[in-house]
Structure formats: C-alpha cells, structure tokens
Amino acid sequence: NGGLLHLALVVLKLQLPSSLNESKYLVSLIFRLQSKILSLLVKFCETEPVSFLDEVAADARSMRLAEIVAREVLSLVRVALREDHRKIQGSSENSSPTGLLFIHAMRLADIFSDDSNFRNL
C-alpha cells in the first residue's frame, strides 16, 4: 500500500526550522534518519523474494509515490556529486554526517537504474 514509500518520502523531506540549523547534533540526527530509511529501502529492493519494485509498479498510486521518492534520491545523488556539498551543509571534512546518506542514495539510484519501471526518470 505504499506505507514504506510514504515513510521514506516524509523522512527524506524532513527539514529543521532555520532557528535550529545551527545545532550540529540535530542536523546530524536528520541525516542519520534519512540514511537509515534509504538503507531500509535498499534492503527491501535487494532481499525480497518477490521484487519489491515489481510489487510497487503493480499499483499506480504506489508507483507515483515511488517515482517521487526516486526523484528525492536522485537529488541527493546530485548533491553528493557536487564538489561544494560540504560548504552547503556547513560541516567540516572530518565530521560530515552525510557519508552514509550519500552512499545509500547512490546504491538506491543504481537499483532504480536497473529496474525497467524507473528508467524514464
């Protein structure tokens, strides 16, 4: 029914209010939460006996939701590939909480690129 995809979308769109952006702890917490939900999606896509993405594609509403999630993932990959992403998030090289987030986003983008239902994104 798209429950996991809806959860993923909500977590990926989480943003702190500007008054709390100075808290490195909260910013890191959000990045870790986003990384964890992408990790769950990767696991579902890789380990289900019946393809998770085929099940999603069977329902039009779930497929639309999956396309939105895929676009969010692709935007994370774009940020990861930009040279100045550390300047944008304001973190130093040694304390960047986005490493796993970007790795999971790239793994998920790879999975989406291999699936025929997502090739038109």
Side-chain angles (χ1 to χ4, degrees), residues 83-91:
E83 291 179 23
D84 61 345
H85 75 292
R86 285 195 177 100
K87 292 176 192 169
I88 292 170
Q89 68 193 33
S91 63

Side-chain angles (χ1 to χ4, degrees), residues 14-113:
L14 275 179
Q15 291 186 354
L16 288 173
S18 59
S19 61
L20 296 175
N21 273 342
E22 296 300 318
S23 172
K24 290 187 186 251
Y25 173 76
L26 290 176
V27 170
S28 296
L29 188 68
I30 297 291
F31 285 137
R32 279 191 223 96
L33 188 58
Q34 291 172 336
S35 175
K36 185 55 82 174
I37 194 67
L38 290 184
S39 172
L40 285 172
L41 283 175
V42 167
K43 289 199 185 310
F44 265 87
C45 291
E46 290 179 342
T47 61
E48 284 292 310
V50 176
S51 173
F52 176 71
L53 294 178
D54 287 343
E55 289 291 320
V56 165
D59 180 45
R61 194 179 86 209
S62 292
M63 187 60 190
R64 282 191 302 274
L65 193 55
E67 287 175 351
I68 296 168
V69 169
R71 285 188 181 93
E72 290 292 320
V73 168
L74 291 176
S75 73
L76 282 172
V77 171
R78 281 187 211 105
V79 170
L81 296 176
R82 283 198 312 230
E83 291 179 23
D84 61 345
H85 75 292
R86 285 195 177 100
K87 292 176 192 169
I88 292 170
Q89 68 193 33
S91 63
S92 67
E93 199 170 306
N94 296 329
S95 65
S96 176
T98 57
L100 275 176
L101 174 64
F102 291 154
I103 288 171
H104 292 309
M106 287 181 198
R107 287 178 64 198
L108 205 49
D110 182 46
I111 290 169
F112 286 148
S113 72

